[in-house]
């Protein structure tokens, strides 16, 4: 049984509106990234408590903390960033989230990946070491323009760090936006480390984000392969069909619904049960 989640802040800044839409769609989990126009790591303890009460009122659980950890340049201060990482661990524990999404640091065009590999691995190892005692799992997402934006470097990170607290979130649209055909070029190598899937698609020629199945993200092929090998985990809706914001995008309820229906139609065609 596959479990649907979603970046509900793409629906509306107000959690009550976010969660009501998830209820309407039958989605049982939230990937918590922001609320009340505030990043999840910047919410006060009181706001986290309030968010937890709204979640409970809507009978929702948190699949992952959609943190911005690792979304700084590789040359930026890492010590200060570790304080943010500690906050992410605390928030995840308070909201009962098993996962925290992270990234492997932005690189400018004048910062060749091979020149910064050692520092990326040092930082990723330090983040994983922070998470290990908590039992929480960090999910590296393949964001474009970070060190781990193509399958070979994503694999390098997870294998080199070698920590049970570091696994992969698979984002097909992000791969497409860096010129990769995700299933064809990355699935076989990365599947052993992949425990979470972000759902959005993109067009190879333009990079435009589209609903699942309407682009070159090979979503159907990926879903079919995951079902064949017994994957049992979260699929997190991240439509990116609206206005881009500092948190991601504000797609609105209609586009969020459209994106969800596109993905569940694929699951239903493939005969895959979900909740």
């Amino acid at each position: 049984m596959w479990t649907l989640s979603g970046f509900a802040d793409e629906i509306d800044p107000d959690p009550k509106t976010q969660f009501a839409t998830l209820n309407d769609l039958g989605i049982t989990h939230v990937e918590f990234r922001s609320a009340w126009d505030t990043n999840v790591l910047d919410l006060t303890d009181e706001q986290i408590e309030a968010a937890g009460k709204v979640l409970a009122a809507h009978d929702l659980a948190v699949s992952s903390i959609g943190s911005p950890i690792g979304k700084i340049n590789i040359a930026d201060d890492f010590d200060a960033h570790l304080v943010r990482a500690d906050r992410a661990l605390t928030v995840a524990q308070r909201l009962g989230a098993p996962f925290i999404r992270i990234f492997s640091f932005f690189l400018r065009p004048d910062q060749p990946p091979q020149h910064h590999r050692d520092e990326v691995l040092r930082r990723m190892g330090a983040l994983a070491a922070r998470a290990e005692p908590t039992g929480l799992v960090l999910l590296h997402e393949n964001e474009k323009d970070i060190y781990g934006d193509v399958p070979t470097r994503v694999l390098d990170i997870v294998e080199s760090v070698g920590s049970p607290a570091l696994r992969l979130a698979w984002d097909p649209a992000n791969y497409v936006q860096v010129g990769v055909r995700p299933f064809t070029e990355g699935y076989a190598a990365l599947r052993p480390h992949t425990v979470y899937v972000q759902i959005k698609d993109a067009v190879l020629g333009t990079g435009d984000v589209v609903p699942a199945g309407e682009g070159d993200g090979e979503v159907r092929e990926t879903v079919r392969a995951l079902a064949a090998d017994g994957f049992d985990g979260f699929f997190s809706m991240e439509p990116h069909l609206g206005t881009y914001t500092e948190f991601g995008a504000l797609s609105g309820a209609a586009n969020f619904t459209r994106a969800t229906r596109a993905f569940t139609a694929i699951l239903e065609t493939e005969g895959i049960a979900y909740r």
Side-chain angles (χ1 to χ4, degrees):
M1 181 72 72
W2 292 3
T3 303
L4 297 184
S5 184
F7 288 87
D9 60 351
E10 290 208 15
I11 297 168
D12 191 272
D14 184 351
K16 291 181 180 179
T17 304
Q18 296 176 19
F19 301 161
T21 300
L22 295 187
N23 286 162
D24 290 344
L25 290 169
I27 294 177
T28 59
H29 287 70
V30 178
E31 182 148 0
F32 205 108
R33 181 172 53 191
S34 71
W36 304 294
D37 284 321
T38 304
N39 185 276
V40 62
L41 302 190
D42 297 319
L43 294 172
T44 65
D45 289 347
E46 292 75 18
Q47 286 175 312
I48 292 295
E49 182 178 358
K53 290 178 179 177
V54 181
L55 284 162
H58 289 270
D59 197 24
L60 293 167
V62 179
S63 62
S64 178
I65 299 301
S67 88
I69 298 301
K71 272 198 164 185
I72 59 172
N73 186 269
I74 191 60
D76 290 342
D77 180 19
F78 184 56
D79 289 338
H81 210 53
L82 283 175
V83 176
R84 300 274 285 167
D86 288 339
R87 179 61 178 169
L89 294 168
T90 297
V91 170
Q93 290 171 317
R94 290 183 178 177
L95 293 178
F99 298 112
I100 300 172
R101 180 193 65 166
I102 66 169
F103 304 88
S104 54
F105 306 96
F106 286 117
L107 299 172
R108 299 188 306 268
D110 64 334
Q111 295 174 310
Q114 65 271 23
H115 293 176
H116 298 278
R117 176 181 181 271
D118 289 349
E119 179 61 10
V120 168
L121 295 182
R122 182 188 76 82
R123 293 181 176 203
M124 297 300 287
L127 291 169
R130 280 286 219 277
E132 283 177 7
T134 70
L136 297 168
V137 175
L138 307 180
L139 298 172
H140 174 273
E141 181 182 332
N142 52 290
E143 177 81 3
K144 62 184 177 182
D145 298 328
I146 62 173
Y147 179 86
D149 63 355
V150 295
T152 52
R153 291 198 292 270
V154 171
L155 185 64
D156 181 29
I157 291 168
V158 70
E159 289 190 338
S160 296
V161 172
S163 168
L166 180 64
R167 289 292 179 262
L168 303 180
W170 174 275
D171 189 311
N174 289 350
Y175 277 131
V176 170
Q177 289 179 330
V178 294
V180 171
R181 292 190 178 275
F183 181 78
T184 301
E185 299 177 44
Y187 181 86
L190 298 179
R191 171 63 187 95
H193 309 286
T194 299
V195 299
Y196 197 98
V197 182
Q198 312 281 26
I199 299 300
K200 61 180 186 286
D201 204 344
V203 177
L204 196 57
T206 63
D208 292 342
V209 176
V210 294
E214 297 182 16
D216 298 298
E218 301 178 312
V219 174
R220 188 177 298 276
E221 294 90 335
T222 303
V223 161
R224 193 174 293 152
L226 288 168
D229 72 12
F231 183 87
D232 181 17
F234 291 108
F235 293 79
S236 185
M237 302 306 306
E238 190 181 13
H240 274 28
L241 297 176
T243 304
Y244 283 80
T245 71
E246 62 180 297
F247 307 117
L250 186 60
S251 297
N255 278 328
F256 195 96
T257 299
R258 173 185 164 212
T260 301
R261 297 299 186 213
F263 180 60
T264 57
I266 292 174
L267 299 184
E268 289 160 8
T269 300
E270 296 294 326
I272 297 168
Y274 64 91
R275 59 187 174 191

